[in-house]
Structure formats: C-alpha cells, structure tokens
Amino acid sequence: MNVLEVKNLQKSFGSIRAVQDISFSVEAGEVFTIIGPNGAGKTTTLEMIEGLVTPDHGEIHFGEMNWGHHAVAIKMKIGVQPQSSAMFDLLTPEENLDLFATFYEKARPTAEILELINLTEHRKNQVKKLSGGQRQRLAIGLAMISDPDIIFLDEPTTGLDPQARRHIWDIILELKKLGKTTILTTHYMEEAEKLSDRVCIVDQGNIVTIDTPSALIEKLTKEREVRLSFLDGEKAAEEGAIFADNLNSVARTEREGAVLKLWTIKPEDTLLELFKFTKEKEFQVEQVSIREMSLEDVFIAFTGKEWRD
Ligand code: ATP
C-alpha cells in the first residue's frame, strides 16, 4: 500500500533549479532513502513533502490526503526530525520530549521514547551537555513523540563518528520493526545500502534511478572481483593468471605483483578451479577476497561521476 506519492515536484530558488522533476511513491513500512551529492535537492524535496516549502509545481498525496485540504490530519500522521536548533539546550531530553508531547493530542510515553533512542541514562542531563550523536538521537525521539506512521529524517548521521552513526542505524531498524515508514536522506552510500528497502538516487534535482539496493547492484553487473595474493610471489601470480584466463567462468584478469585479480560471474566455481591449480603447483595462497559491487559503483555507472561523501 502506498502511503506517499509525489508527482513531478519542481522547485526553483531564483535561477537555481533545486528540484527539476521528482516523482516517486513510498510503501507502508519501508525505509525509503534519497541519496545524492551536496546540492542535489534532497532537503528541498523533503521539505516540500513535509509541507515546509511550497512546490512550484507537482502533487503530494498521503493516501487520499493532500496539504491543500488535510493539513491537520497529515501533521498527525507524520513526524519530522527537528533541526537541533529547535531543541531547548537548557532543558533535559526528558523535559524536551515532555514539552513536545504537549503539542499533540496523543503522544507516546516519554519513557518509551527514551528507551527507543537509548537515552534513558542521559534523560536528566541538559541537552547542551549531550554529544552530537545523542542530540541526533533526541531529534529522532522528538519526531517520534506523536507516534506518527511516517518519519522523515534528513541526514541524521551527517558529521557523526562511525559508532554514533551505527546507533542511529539501530534506531531506524527499530522503527521498521515497529511498522513505521521512514524516509531518509543521506550522503553515505554504505548507510543507504544497509538500511534501505529502496534507494532513490538524485543528482541535480532529478532522479537518476530508484530500486532496491541489491537490484541496483544486480542491474549494474553480476560480475564479482576476486583477488588472490600468493606467498610465492609474482611468478605464481603470473602462472595463476594464465590458468585463470583459460577458464570459461573468467571474464578477464589483471596482475599486480604477487596479486592476481580476476572478474567472474561464478566466483565459487572459479575459486574451486584455482585452488585445484594452486594445490597441484604447491603454490601458497596468502589471501583471498571476493568484492561485491557497491552502491557507489552504481552511482558512478549511472552518473559518470565519482562519489564524494
Ligand atoms: P545537501 O546534501 O548539501 O544538504 P541537498 O541535496 O539537500 O544538499 P538542497 O539543500 O535541497 O540539496 O539544495 C538544492 C539546491 O538549492 C542547492 O543549490 C541549494 O544551494 C539551493 N537552495 C536550497 N534552499 C535554498 C534557498 N532557501 N534559497 C536559495 N537556494 C536554495
């Protein structure tokens, strides 16, 4: 079931066409991630959907509801992660949550939200004393206080260290378990790959492609890169390359010193053959790795640009 549908969204700021033509729909319960480089139009898209920015053109539907006729009902249905400037620094997380709860007719108990965002222990510390990651977790908690069905998180992990980022991922996965729909923006490919049911890649105000992370990667190629490094040095890698070149499953090979790289659609079969060969030759293999294509490879393939976080 679609909980959100946007059609042909457009928005310009003076001569800057921030969003040129964006259409997509989001299913109930999914994590839908909009990913793109700086200035791609992610925040503007989100803010139009959240009712904070008026589109120049296009339609936004939450099921049967739209901002023109059902603004109050939509506000009850969605939760928006506030900017950290919207939090009260001199109050505690508990007090901030209690305060935000008074804005709504129905609110989730503060203690439950504190558990969800793993801030129970810090509930009585002033917000100004929290770390960046803890503040971001509180921002997600504030978006959750009205117990919305759809949660919007705009770059919730930007600027956080890897551990703090993982704590946020845990919360997003927990929201999914609760049956919530999450619409996320991020700069981080790894994050999109780990969390999303579907990824929407945007660049220069347009959608480049939308699909599940695995289908996007599959679309790109089924080939895997296999690397073997030999303890016996270059000679062994060279012989390995000659052997691999003659295997049907191998598309191409490369050699760098004692490392043999090859590309194959059947990594298991290829490795089996190669190990038979190295055993026969009594070569010692030091390391083996199989590299899957990543979303970053997909981005580069679709846009022709290098990805920068
Ligand atoms: P980032 O990842 O850097 O947050 P983004 O993908 O969220 O980028 P937007 O913030 O939507 O991109 O910005 C898209 C373009 O529109 C940028 O060129 C930005 O400078 C411009 N822009 C956004 N908001 C405004 C505004 N209020 N006034 C003028 N220009 C704006």
Side-chain angles (χ1 to χ4, degrees), residues 7-65:
K7 286 187 203 163
N8 306 111
L9 280 188
Q10 293 175 16
K11 181 75 191 177
S12 293
F13 298 103
S15 61
I16 299 170
R17 296 183 68 194
V19 172
Q20 300 209 29
D21 186 10
I22 290 211
S23 303
F24 58 78
S25 54
V26 179
E27 299 269 314
E30 75 174 334
V31 178
F32 184 87
T33 302
I34 304 175
I35 186 160
N38 283 329
K42 304 182 292 293
T43 300
T44 308
T45 302
L46 224 57
E47 289 185 346
M48 286 192 279
I49 300 170
E50 293 162 355
L52 301 172
V53 166
T54 310
D56 295 337
H57 180 83
E59 295 171 34
I60 299 163
H61 301 280
F62 291 90
E64 301 294 308
M65 299 189 286

Side-chain angles (χ1 to χ4, degrees), residues 123-142:
R123 68 188 185 283
K124 298 213 181 288
N125 297 345
Q126 276 183 328
V127 166
K128 68 174 185 184
K129 294 187 182 140
L130 299 180
S131 68
Q134 289 165 345
R135 290 172 72 100
Q136 280 296 36
R137 277 163 25 217
L138 177 58
I140 299 177
L142 292 170

Side-chain angles (χ1 to χ4, degrees), residues 246-307:
N246 287 318
L247 292 175
N248 284 338
S249 57
V250 174
R252 62 188 191 285
T253 62
E254 261 180 32
R255 195 185 55 78
E256 274 174 23
V259 178
L260 163 65
K261 285 200 265 178
L262 58 89
W263 285 265
T264 171
I265 53 167
K266 291 182 179 161
E268 295 85 1
D269 295 359
T270 306
L271 279 172
L272 205 65
E273 291 295 330
L274 270 167
F275 284 135
K276 273 190 215 157
F277 166 79
T278 54
K279 191 157 186 260
E280 217 169 82
K281 291 275 181 182
E282 295 182 351
F283 289 148
Q284 289 188 65
V285 176
E286 188 182 20
Q287 257 189 351
V288 181
S289 66
I290 304 177
R291 192 175 85 90
E292 300 228 357
M293 294 296 166
S294 68
L295 264 191
E296 194 167 329
D297 296 308
V298 176
F299 180 84
I300 294 166
F302 275 97
T303 63
K305 293 180 189 165
E306 281 291 322
W307 179 260

Side-chain angles (χ1 to χ4, degrees), residues 56-272:
D56 295 337
H57 180 83
E59 295 171 34
I60 299 163
H61 301 280
F62 291 90
E64 301 294 308
M65 299 189 286
N66 60 64
W67 282 109
H69 297 95
H70 314 93
V72 175
I74 294 174
K75 282 183 192 162
M76 309 282 277
K77 211 179 157 60
I78 69 171
V80 176
Q81 163 207 349
Q83 300 286 322
S84 55
S85 56
M87 293 182 217
F88 295 90
D89 265 6
L90 298 177
L91 300 184
T92 67
E94 191 170 56
E95 289 164 341
N96 268 281
L97 285 163
D98 283 342
L99 178 66
F100 272 62
T102 63
F103 302 159
Y104 301 93
E105 270 175 29
K106 166 188 88 144
R108 240 185 138 105
T110 294
E112 227 176 270
I113 298 283
L114 286 166
E115 275 297 302
L116 177 78
I117 57 177
N118 201 11
L119 278 185
T120 305
E121 200 185 315
H122 301 281
R123 68 188 185 283
K124 298 213 181 288
N125 297 345
Q126 276 183 328
V127 166
K128 68 174 185 184
K129 294 187 182 140
L130 299 180
S131 68
Q134 289 165 345
R135 290 172 72 100
Q136 280 296 36
R137 277 163 25 217
L138 177 58
I140 299 177
L142 292 170
M144 287 294 298
I145 194 75
S146 63
D147 199 19
D149 295 333
I150 308 173
I151 297 131
F152 292 92
L153 304 177
D154 193 5
E155 297 189 9
T157 61
T158 295
L160 299 184
D161 64 54
Q163 197 192 5
R165 204 181 291 168
R166 284 199 163 73
H167 286 146
I168 304 270
W169 294 0
D170 290 342
I171 299 173
I172 295 169
L173 294 172
E174 196 54 39
L175 293 178
K176 187 170 167 64
K177 276 195 209 147
L178 292 171
K180 306 292 181 190
T181 306
T182 303
I183 299 167
L184 179 74
T185 69
T186 183
H187 284 252
Y188 303 114
M189 283 289 179
E190 188 198 358
E191 181 164 308
E193 209 168 322
K194 286 249 157 62
L195 298 176
S196 323
D197 292 298
R198 283 186 307 144
V199 177
C200 169
I201 300 180
V202 292
D203 190 30
Q204 295 181 337
N206 284 303
I207 292 179
V208 176
T209 183
I210 305 182
D211 216 325
T212 62
S214 57
L216 283 175
I217 293 163
E218 185 97 342
K219 247 186 222 171
L220 182 67
T221 175
K222 287 186 170 151
E223 268 180 19
R224 299 285 175 268
E225 182 191 300
V226 176
R227 283 180 189 221
L228 277 95
S229 61
F230 290 87
L231 276 177
D232 311 271
E234 279 188 29
K235 182 87 177 58
E238 216 171 84
E239 282 193 42
I242 295 166
F243 175 79
D245 269 331
N246 287 318
L247 292 175
N248 284 338
S249 57
V250 174
R252 62 188 191 285
T253 62
E254 261 180 32
R255 195 185 55 78
E256 274 174 23
V259 178
L260 163 65
K261 285 200 265 178
L262 58 89
W263 285 265
T264 171
I265 53 167
K266 291 182 179 161
E268 295 85 1
D269 295 359
T270 306
L271 279 172
L272 205 65

